[in-house]
Amino acid sequence: MTQVLRSFAFGAVLLGLGSAAGWLLRGASSTSTREPPPAGTTRTSTPQARSEPRDRVIVQAVDQAGIREAVREAISEELAAARHADESEVAEPEPETVAALDSGTRYVEAAVVQGRWGEEQASQIRRLGVGLSAEQYHEMIRPLSIAINEGRMQVEVDGPPF
Amino acid sequence: MQYFANGTEARGVVRDVRFSSNSVEFIGCNVQHNGVVSCFIKDAAGTYKSCSTTAAGFATAAAAIGPNSFLRIMWNAAGTCTYLETYNTSIYLD
């Protein structure tokens, strides 16, 4: 979460810098003593002001659009990096669950080779599954379910086999 | 109980399957504390089918299963349940 907040702060700073840069460019290109028009407004061209105001307006529009785009891209990249960092932090499994999943997976594989699943196996797979997440348990028993459905297992359990 | 779709769908009324002329058939699902839902089917010939899932909604559907429920269960080749329907209606009451 702090990563996301940092990203928004960074984006706000970039927006501020972009606005300042646009204001400076408007000032640098101005040779007239008149007040510069507000950003985004159009001017009707008069014979006296034809060359200077038109050039000034074009330079102003390109720079502001470019700066806005650069700021948008920077914010987008920061947010994507922050999201990736958050997801990586959440996905790190505990060593104990990794070991439990490994044990359970090997137990299922051995049972599939044997071709038999009885009450003892049904109890043992549940013991091995304690502490696993739902997704981990699901992945652990998937080969067993496939073997059952393909007719490769003799299931001798009164209740649910897993 | 009936199988359909090349052995990837089964349906039947829980009570009717239980009291069928053979003592072999069954149909049902379990819900574990970790959120995994598994369903199991056995037909009159003794053919066993199973599937499991962690997808949202399955636990609710499985918890709604009662003795007079009509169940429709579908699964894929990867052993994952893809559909679970529990239908409770007066038609199946004694």
Side-chain angles (χ1 to χ4, degrees):
Chain A
M1 193 48 126
T2 52
Q3 283 277 44
V4 174
L5 286 174
R6 272 200 290 272
S7 303
F8 273 113
F10 175 69
V13 166
L14 281 178
L15 270 171
L17 286 173
S19 301
W23 182 83
L24 283 172
L25 284 166
R26 278 203 303 277
S29 62
S30 168
T31 56
S32 165
T33 55
R34 286 185 297 175
E35 283 289 322
T41 58
T42 54
R43 293 166 60 116
T44 53
S45 137
T46 60
Q48 301 93 319
R50 183 163 295 170
S51 58
E52 179 198 284
R54 195 170 287 169
D55 291 341
R56 210 172 78 204
V57 168
I58 287 171
V59 167
Q60 185 178 359
V62 166
D63 282 338
Q64 282 195 347
I67 289 168
R68 271 196 285 273
E69 189 53 39
V71 168
R72 252 187 241 114
E73 277 177 22
I75 292 173
S76 197
E77 282 168 19
E78 280 295 309
L79 286 174
R83 252 195 313 272
H84 178 72
D86 284 347
E87 284 165 7
S88 302
E89 285 166 16
V90 170
E92 200 64 43
E94 295 288 332
E96 294 81 14
T97 58
V98 170
L101 178 58
D102 188 50
S103 292
T105 301
R106 283 189 275 111
Y107 185 82
V108 168
E109 284 170 357
V112 168
V113 168
Q114 292 288 323
R116 187 191 161 272
W117 193 263
E119 292 291 352
E120 183 189 327
Q121 287 74 32
S123 290
Q124 182 62 7
I125 199 62
R126 285 167 169 86
R127 279 191 285 272
L128 289 170
V130 170
L132 296 184
S133 68
E135 289 74 21
Q136 287 171 326
Y137 189 86
H138 179 50
E139 282 310 305
M140 182 179 70
I141 60 176
R142 186 195 293 276
L144 172 61
S145 193
I146 293 173
I148 289 172
N149 294 346
E150 292 176 353
R152 294 186 279 121
M153 296 297 291
Q154 188 157 347
V155 181
E156 299 164 351
V157 178
D158 279 338
F162 51 81
Chain B
M1 183 171 61
Q2 297 168 303
Y3 277 120
F4 294 91
N6 296 324
T8 59
E9 176 182 342
R11 58 192 194 202
V13 179
V14 173
R15 183 201 64 221
D16 292 349
V17 173
R18 170 65 181 90
F19 294 112
S20 61
S21 56
N22 63 76
S23 59
V24 173
E25 294 179 59
F26 64 74
I27 186 170
C29 301
N30 70 348
V31 184
Q32 297 192 4
H33 71 280
N34 54 17
V36 177
V37 173
S38 303
C39 295
F40 310 96
I41 306 104
K42 194 173 185 181
D43 68 5
T47 302
Y48 209 114
K49 298 290 183 183
S50 66
C51 65
S52 63
T53 182
T54 61
F58 278 80
T60 302
I65 296 173
N68 298 311
S69 297
F70 174 90
L71 297 186
R72 185 191 307 268
I73 306 166
M74 300 181 190
W75 59 93
N76 61 22
T80 300
C81 306
T82 57
Y83 184 87
L84 172 60
E85 177 184 346
T86 305
Y87 178 41
N88 295 314
T89 171
S90 56
I91 296 173
Y92 303 125
L93 292 177
D94 288 327

